[in-house]
Amino acid sequence: CVQLGNGLAPLLMPGQIVIGWGTTGLHDTLRLADEVHKRGASWLDIPVSGGVVGAERGKLRAFAGGDQE
């Protein structure tokens, strides 16, 4: 788990891409994306569906959403 606050955020530069694979709720995801955008970087939200059983069966699904650029 990477925290943006005092951890990753100060290191972000314009043009970089941050990928969120976490299981955060909508409020936290939007907050993280906003923090990334404030630093000129892009945010991709890529939740994964399938859980442990899906992983064991090799049947996970990822859904990506982010900036068009």
Side-chain angles (χ1 to χ4, degrees):
C1 174
V2 174
Q3 298 293 322
L4 283 176
N6 293 326
L8 178 63
L11 304 175
L12 290 175
M13 294 186 297
Q16 290 182 316
I17 299 171
V18 176
I19 300 173
W21 290 92
T23 55
T24 57
L26 179 60
H27 175 75
D28 289 330
T29 298
L30 292 174
R31 182 182 57 79
L32 293 169
D34 185 54
E35 192 67 31
V36 168
H37 288 132
K38 284 179 184 176
R39 288 168 164 67
S42 296
W43 171 265
L44 290 178
D45 183 33
I46 307 180
V48 177
S49 174
V52 173
V53 173
E56 290 171 345
R57 294 180 180 168
K59 296 189 181 250
L60 293 178
R61 298 195 193 288
F63 305 90
D67 301 329
Q68 282 189 317
E69 303 103 48

